[in-house]
């Protein structure tokens, strides 16, 4: 049975060992994970959630910087900033540390990861013939 593109991308996403490191512009990026995907949702990083979203150059830059921060800052710092609502301030500070020369390589890595994230995204579709929550089974 031939494997579809989504299956190959999922396998690639999860076949990389956790200890694999990606270093871009002096930044050590953690491997993409389900936690990363969740943070992308919280920060509305649509580059990783909807590969076809139309974004301004300014918004693309914001999302690239945010992703680099999410994947390179200490995890405890990222989680604390999300809990306290200070992630945007931390990202703005981080932007001053990001070397402009690293952007092309970072964009290439982001394109690779966004394809993997899109393949890993799971959408729950309603059961055919059902109209919504009214037909949901009761909680027991």
């Amino acid at each position: 049975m031939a494997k579809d593109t989504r299956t190959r991308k999922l396998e690639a996403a999860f076949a990389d060992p956790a200890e694999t490191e990606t270093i871009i512009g002096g930044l050590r990026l953690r491997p993409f994970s389900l936690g990363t995907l969740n943070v992308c949702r919280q920060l509305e990083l649509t580059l990783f959630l909807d590969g076809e979203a139309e974004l301004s150059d300014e918004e693309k830059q914001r999302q690239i910087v945010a992703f680099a921060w999410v994947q390179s800052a200490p995890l405890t710092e990222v989680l604390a900033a999300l809990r306290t609502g200070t992630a945007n301030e931390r990202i703005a500070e981080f932007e001053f540390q990001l070397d402009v020369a690293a952007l092309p390589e970072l964009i290439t890595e982001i394109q690779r990861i966004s394809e993997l994230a899109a393949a890993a995204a799971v959408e729950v579709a309603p059961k055919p013939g059902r109209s919504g929550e009214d037909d949901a089974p009761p909680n027991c």
Side-chain angles (χ1 to χ4, degrees):
M1 179 178 183
K3 293 183 181 180
D4 63 17
T5 303
R6 181 178 186 272
T7 301
R8 285 194 302 272
K9 288 178 182 175
L10 279 171
E11 289 173 352
F14 295 105
D16 290 336
E19 62 273 1
T20 298
E21 294 180 340
T22 301
I23 299 176
I24 296 176
L27 297 175
R28 186 178 311 263
L29 303 179
R30 284 186 289 281
F32 194 85
S33 67
L34 291 176
T36 306
L37 191 58
N38 184 38
V39 171
C40 287
R41 287 184 184 117
Q42 290 179 53
L43 295 176
E44 300 178 4
L45 303 183
T46 56
L47 281 172
F48 307 93
L49 305 173
D50 179 9
E52 297 180 21
E54 291 292 324
L55 304 172
S56 68
D57 288 343
E58 183 179 290
E59 179 59 16
K60 285 178 189 175
Q61 179 180 318
R62 182 197 75 81
Q63 291 192 29
I64 290 167
V65 171
F67 179 80
W69 173 75
V70 165
Q71 290 301 93
S72 66
L75 187 56
T76 54
E77 177 184 324
V78 173
L79 295 176
L82 289 169
R83 277 192 291 279
T84 61
T86 60
N88 289 328
E89 290 84 5
R90 300 289 80 76
I91 293 166
E93 291 171 6
F94 173 79
E95 192 169 24
F96 286 95
Q97 301 171 29
L98 194 56
D99 185 1
V100 174
L103 285 179
E105 192 176 357
L106 190 55
I107 290 168
T108 299
E109 178 66 6
I110 284 172
Q111 288 171 336
R112 182 186 77 82
I113 290 171
S114 65
E115 289 177 8
L116 299 177
V122 177
E123 291 185 27
V124 178
K127 193 172 188 177
R130 298 288 177 114
S131 62
E133 291 185 23
D134 295 337
D135 295 328
N139 290 329
C140 297

